Amino acid sequence: MNVLLLLALILFILMALVGGKKGIKSFIALFLNFLVLIVTVLIMNDPNTNPVLLTLVACVFIGAISLFYINDINNKTTLAFIATIFTTLLLLLFIFFITEKSMIYGFSEEESDGLTIFSVYIGIDFVKIAASGIIMGTIGAIVDTAISITSPMREIHQHNPGITRKDLFMSGIRIGRDILNTSSNTLFFAFFGGYLGLLIWFKDLEYSFGEIVNSKVLNGELISILTAGMGVAIVIPIASAITAHHLVGIKDKKK
């Protein structure tokens, strides 16, 4: 049996045993999101397509699959979805600006050796491609944080329906503070684990510390991680405010 199929089967069994029906739906959602990414990349090959707008559309589908397909359509998933889209739009201008000013777009020196036989004049704006990559890298962390805020806030409101909007909002902020630390560490160690080979290569090539810090390939990934961390930090107050306003607003209308 192919190793990938074996690992996928083991993951499916574990998710089914631990998560039950929701675990199975989460496993299916992984492949649905993967298909969205593949379709996005294929369409992005068309020079007439705007990669940033296409990526935003893909993020909408990814957010909808991750939230509505797995957890059904309810107030906590709807609020998390709204917070995710709003946060992504806020980050968009900053991502585009920092991508252009930092010049992390295009191929790095380490990647250029293997591309010398190919033409890089493919009619695609590499600034938009780099910005799209960063946006796609942030959406998962933002969705995860958003639902981690709205879900416990809804539970708090259900068990304490008399809570004020301000107290409910502050509860969301306190929950978010705990999530922020673990999410930041997750992003950092995911980068370090994924690029451990690159760091060892830098050492074998006897790169100085300055050369490592200023390398395009390293800076591109660090900017992506830092931007994802910013997205996680921004979505916490946004999700808390939207959820507190909605839940307490429902209570006020019923009076």
Side-chain angles (χ1 to χ4, degrees), residues 136-153:
M136 197 68 73
T138 63
I139 188 66
I142 293 174
V143 169
D144 183 59
T145 304
I147 191 64
S148 298
I149 297 292
T150 59
S151 181
M153 285 184 68

Side-chain angles (χ1 to χ4, degrees), residues 158-193:
Q158 287 180 345
H159 291 285
N160 186 13
I163 191 171
T164 64
R165 183 175 296 169
K166 180 180 178 181
D167 289 339
L168 184 59
F169 171 76
M170 293 308 301
S171 296
I173 294 296
R174 285 190 290 270
I175 294 168
R177 287 170 181 168
D178 295 332
I179 298 172
L180 184 61
N181 178 48
T182 55
S183 297
S184 300
N185 282 322
T186 300
L187 292 170
F188 172 76
F189 287 112
F191 158 76
F192 193 85

